[in-house]
């Protein structure tokens, strides 16, 4: 579809894609320039993920990320987006601070970033929080399976295989009013069962092809990750190497005195 014909993605349109059998695309972005590129490329949704703590800030987990930082990055992203549905993560431990505190935090996220929805980690045990946010007019995407904010409780970044728990988490999130749910690092067969039992879309990351949509951390997709890359990631570009090569070429020319040449200087 041409760029001019694209409609702004809303929560109802996002949900309707499942019934229409259309796969949903979601990618993370953390700043204006990347958000603009992803939106121009036609991605359905942009997640300002707290993975920002790892791929932008260099932490080893998402736990240090603050609400103010999520808002700061969320604002940059929404400025770059015309059509995609922008969702901002609630950072640890925002949604465990009680219903009023969570509504206050999520309210700040919506007001200050002008995003459309928030995402929070949890299923069954977050059902009351999800319901309260939704009744306050705040669309919620849930996130189950591997929940990086609970990395210490889970004993590491491990595939989650308890089908009963995963199903209950997903069904509870849907019943509480979530409009979608991220399934992270779960076996493909379980993701298929969960996706079939829900009417809201499932968005998989390391959860196989039978989810209703897919999400990836943008740095992983474009080959801009330094360090560990999960096995479910397939890089579609090699931007990290391209950047290093460009910087090395520029440095060589500066050191040799061949840049800037006359074409890149102002005449007297
Ligand atoms: O923080 C994040 O980027 C996420 C995605 C990996 C789903 O939660």
């Amino acid at each position: 579809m041409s760029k001019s014909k694209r409609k702004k993605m809303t929560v109802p349109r996002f949900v309707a894609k499942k019934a229409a059998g259309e796969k949903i695309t979601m990618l993370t972005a953390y700043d204006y320039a990347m958000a603009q590129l992803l939106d121009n490329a036609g991605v359905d949704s942009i997640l300002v993920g707290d993975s920002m703590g790892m791929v932008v800030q260099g932490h080893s987990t998402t736990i240090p990320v603050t609400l103010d930082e999520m808002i700061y990055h969320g604002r940059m992203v929404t400025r770059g987006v015309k059509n995609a549905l922008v969702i901002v993560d609630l950072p640890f431990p925002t949604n465990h601070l009680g219903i009023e505190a969570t509504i206050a935090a999520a309210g700040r996220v919506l007001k200050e970033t002008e995003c459309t929805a928030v995402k929070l980690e949890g299923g069954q045990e977050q059902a009351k929080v999800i319901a309260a946010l939704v009744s306050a007019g705040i669309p919620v995407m849930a996130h189950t399976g591997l929940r990086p904010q609970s990395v210490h409780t889970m004993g590491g970044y491990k595939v989650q295989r308890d089908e009963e728990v995963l199903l209950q988490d997903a069904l509870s999130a849907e019943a509480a009013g979530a409009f979608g749910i991220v399934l992270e690092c779960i076996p493909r067969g379980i993701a298929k069962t969960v996706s079939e039992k829900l009417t809201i879309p499932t968005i998989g990351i390391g959860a196989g092809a039978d989810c209703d949509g897919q999400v990836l951390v943008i740095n992983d997709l474009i080959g801009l990750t330094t360090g560990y890359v999960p096995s479910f990631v397939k890089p579609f570009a090699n931007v990290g190497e391209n950047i290093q090569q460009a910087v090395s070429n520029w440095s060589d020319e500066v050191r040799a005195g061949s840049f800037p040449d006359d074409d890149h200087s102002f005449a007297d």
Side-chain angles (χ1 to χ4, degrees):
M1 185 181 287
S2 78
K3 282 179 198 166
S4 56
K5 293 229 175 81
R6 268 198 343 253
K7 283 189 182 157
K8 183 151 183 59
M9 183 59 70
T10 60
V11 169
R13 281 197 186 115
F14 184 94
V15 175
K17 283 177 90 66
K18 174 165 181 152
E22 293 169 19
K23 292 276 188 190
I24 297 168
T25 55
M26 180 186 292
L27 287 169
T28 67
Y30 315 103
D31 64 32
Y32 172 79
M34 186 63 79
Q36 219 176 23
L37 291 172
L38 303 189
D39 193 50
N40 285 343
V43 75
D44 295 315
S45 178
I46 294 182
L47 171 67
V48 187
D50 63 356
S51 50
M52 188 265 297
M54 299 171 82
V55 299
V56 176
Q57 296 178 325
H59 294 296
S60 60
T61 73
T62 59
I63 290 170
V65 176
T66 68
L67 183 62
D68 285 341
E69 287 166 350
M70 291 310 301
I71 290 172
Y72 176 74
H73 286 271
R75 286 162 73 163
M76 293 187 228
V77 167
T78 54
R79 276 183 221 128
V81 172
K82 287 199 178 76
N83 294 305
L85 183 80
V86 179
I87 304 169
V88 176
D89 256 343
L90 293 184
F92 175 81
T94 311
N95 45 303
H96 299 274
L97 299 176
I99 283 176
E100 280 187 19
T102 308
I103 292 177
R108 268 195 70 198
V109 170
L110 250 66
K111 274 173 182 283
E112 295 178 36
T113 71
E114 300 183 58
C115 72
T116 301
V118 298
K119 176 167 80 58
L120 58 79
E121 292 187 10
Q124 298 183 62
E125 87 293 351
Q126 286 291 303
K128 286 193 178 136
V129 176
I130 295 170
L133 290 172
V134 172
S135 77
I138 302 171
V140 179
M141 175 167 278
H143 180 155
T144 63
L146 171 58
R147 287 169 285 115
Q149 291 176 11
S150 299
V151 60
H152 299 313
T153 318
M154 292 180 148
Y157 297 103
K158 296 179 177 164
V159 178
Q160 303 298 304
R161 298 177 182 277
D162 189 330
E163 180 159 4
E164 196 45 45
V165 169
L166 293 165
L167 193 54
Q168 270 321 311
D169 276 339
L171 290 170
S172 305
E174 175 171 86
F179 73 92
I181 181 162
V182 167
L183 304 178
E184 179 162 355
C185 284
I186 71 174
R188 179 175 180 170
I190 300 179
K192 183 171 191 292
T193 305
V194 172
S195 302
E196 285 168 357
K197 297 225 183 231
L198 297 186
T199 56
I200 58 171
T202 58
I203 310 296
I205 172 161
D210 300 303
C211 298
D212 303 305
Q214 296 291 325
V215 58
L216 273 185
V217 169
I218 186 62
N219 298 54
D220 292 341
L221 183 147
I222 62 174
L224 191 55
T225 311
T226 50
Y228 174 72
V229 178
S231 63
F232 56 77
V233 168
K234 173 180 165 188
F236 283 76
N238 221 335
V239 170
E241 266 183 38
N242 291 347
I243 291 174
Q244 288 190 51
Q245 192 58 58
V247 171
S248 157
N249 293 348
W250 173 83
S251 303
D252 287 349
E253 291 197 18
V254 169
R255 288 178 188 132
S258 54
F259 180 86
D261 55 12
D262 285 349
D263 287 345
H264 299 92
S265 304
F266 297 109
D268 293 325

